[in-house]
Amino acid sequence: MATTTETKNYKFNHSMIRVKDPKESVKFYEFLGMKVIKKLSFPEAKFDLYFLAYDSPKAVSGGNNVWDREGLIELTHNYGTENDPSYKINNGNAEPFRGFGHTCISVDNIQAACKRIEEAGYRFQKKLTDGRMRHIAFALDPDGYWVEIVGQKPLEETKGVTDTDLETYRMNHTMIRVKDAEKSLKFYREVLGMELFRTSVNERAGFNLYFLGYPGSKGVPAEGQGTADREGLLELTWNYGTEKDEAFSYHDGNKEPQGFGHICVSVDNLEAACARFETLNVNWKKRLTDGRMKNVAFVLDPDGYWVEIVQNERFTEKANF
């Protein structure tokens, strides 16, 4: 294996959220077409991890090793929460604990997909017919996390079509709010090697959205080209003026009340990547040499969100766990 690291080989592997009852959560994400492709159990530490992904023959990284993918959702279950009536997840959208915003799936037919979810009895934060934005919806998972639903085709192309094909769905992006867009963009581009795919400027509403990702074989989208066919993008939401308020901060999801845990990037050479991060003077939550788990590291982004760094097994042909 090479002793160097190249960010072109990095992948935005997964986003981790804590869940109260894994049976209910797995059932929900499987209903959205995802599949548990790996489960890791740590009974001595009293928690399990469930990694879900789109895995059909039509999926972007279907069939790949768990660490050689993008757009996974990791569910963390701490034993006993399912039986604790007082246990409640922080979904990241309630004051004063805002930070993480949502995950997002893109679908072939948004009208049919939303109808199917509603008929199954799942709740919505925002239906297609709510508000001014009639081209997006937000479903709620069993813990109240927001799952945005966007269409891969314009609304007029799917109007009146009643079918939806789960095998064409993508886990498109994860959204986190950031205090200072300039600092966050610099971190994700220069430290983690992501590219800016597109920007949505909303001056009247006072916020911008930045969509970043790893180009991979598709490359960076051309100007005006959509990103709904992609998986594993990161959306940064910046509300104007937060960068000027010294006292302002977002909730990282790991302080109480907990919910969202981290995002994760898989790399071609874990030790070399971490050595590179050292030269860039990153803030660490956990170095490779810290604690008992010597095969994962965590760096902190400018807002204090945790970014896990793991080895892509394709480059080592050895199991991480």
Side-chain angles (χ1 to χ4, degrees):
M1 188 179 78
T3 56
T4 57
T5 185
E6 295 189 47
T7 57
K8 69 178 183 181
N9 295 322
Y10 292 11
K11 295 191 172 189
F12 178 12
N13 182 246
H14 69 256
S15 302
M16 184 277 265
I17 55 175
R18 297 172 178 88
V19 299
K20 179 182 175 83
D21 187 335
K23 289 182 181 178
E24 291 301 315
S25 295
V26 167
K27 179 182 175 184
F28 172 81
Y29 288 102
E30 287 183 338
F31 184 78
L32 296 184
M34 304 187 88
K35 175 184 175 184
V36 176
I37 60 168
K38 193 173 191 69
K39 179 184 177 185
L40 295 174
S41 294
F42 300 90
E44 70 287 352
K46 298 184 178 179
F47 70 90
D48 292 338
L49 309 177
Y50 301 79
F51 294 87
L52 293 106
Y54 286 105
D55 198 43
S56 77
K58 297 178 184 177
V60 179
S61 53
N64 287 13
N65 179 276
V66 64
W67 312 112
D68 191 28
R69 295 177 182 246
E70 296 194 291
L72 277 70
I73 294 179
E74 176 191 353
L75 307 181
T76 293
H77 171 233
N78 294 295
Y79 297 176
T81 55
E82 70 278 20
N83 299 317
D84 181 356
S86 66
Y87 183 81
K88 188 179 179 183
I89 290 292
N90 166 30
N91 73 3
N93 291 300
E95 293 289 8
F97 308 116
R98 294 202 312 159
F100 166 75
H102 59 259
T103 54
C104 172
I105 63 169
S106 68
V107 301
D108 59 341
N109 182 339
I110 192 168
Q111 295 100 324
C114 288
K115 185 172 185 287
R116 177 178 174 270
I117 294 168
E118 186 174 1
E119 288 180 346
Y122 291 111
R123 297 175 299 136
F124 278 77
Q125 176 67 26
K126 178 201 175 299
K127 295 181 180 179
L128 276 178
T129 51
D130 297 338
R132 289 179 298 173
M133 300 182 75
R134 300 299 176 95
H135 61 290
I136 61 172
F138 285 88
L140 293 172
D141 90 344
D143 287 292
Y145 289 113
W146 296 12
V147 180
E148 184 179 12
I149 303 158
V150 299
Q152 296 166 3
K153 301 173 185 176
L155 279 173
E156 55 271 19
E157 287 189 24
T158 53
K159 189 175 182 180
V161 180
T162 58
D163 295 332
T164 183
D165 181 0
L166 299 180
E167 292 194 351
T168 65
Y169 288 17
R170 307 276 188 262
M171 213 304 273
N172 181 250
H173 71 255
T174 295
M175 185 277 266
I176 55 175
R177 298 174 178 91
V178 299
K179 175 176 179 172
D180 188 322
E182 191 174 320
K183 288 181 180 178
S184 294
L185 286 168
K186 181 180 175 68
F187 173 82
Y188 285 103
R189 295 172 81 175
E190 296 183 10
V191 176
L192 291 183
M194 292 183 176
E195 297 278 355
L196 182 61
F197 282 13
R198 69 181 177 93
T199 301
S200 175
V201 177
N202 302 274
E203 288 188 10
R204 291 180 65 182
F207 69 91
N208 289 357
L209 309 176
Y210 304 91
F211 292 85
L212 300 104
Y214 292 106
S217 59
K218 278 192 168 185
V220 176
E223 187 173 350
Q225 184 180 356
T227 55
D229 63 334
R230 301 272 184 152
E231 64 179 11
L233 302 184
L234 178 67
E235 176 188 358
L236 306 181
T237 294
W238 170 54
N239 292 291
Y240 299 174
T242 52
E243 77 284 3
K244 298 173 183 175
D245 182 353
E246 286 187 16
F248 185 87
S249 65
Y250 283 116
H251 192 279
D252 67 5
N254 292 300
K255 302 180 185 72
E256 294 294 345
Q258 294 183 321
F260 164 77
H262 62 258
I263 59 173
C264 173
V265 171
S266 68
V267 299
D268 51 2
N269 184 315
L270 184 57
E271 289 189 3
C274 288
R276 175 179 169 272
F277 294 146
E278 286 281 8
T279 69
L280 295 171
N281 299 313
V282 302
N283 292 317
W284 293 93
K285 179 65 184 177
K286 178 200 176 299
R287 288 181 167 87
L288 277 179
T289 51
D290 296 340
R292 288 180 298 173
M293 296 184 75
K294 307 296 185 182
N295 55 352
V296 297
F298 285 87
V299 299
L300 296 173
D301 89 343
D303 286 281
Y305 294 116
W306 298 13
V307 182
E308 184 180 15
I309 311 297
V310 299
Q311 177 67 52
N312 183 337
E313 294 177 355
R314 176 165 60 87
F315 292 89
T316 59
E317 297 181 350
K318 292 192 299 183
N320 290 336
F321 298 94

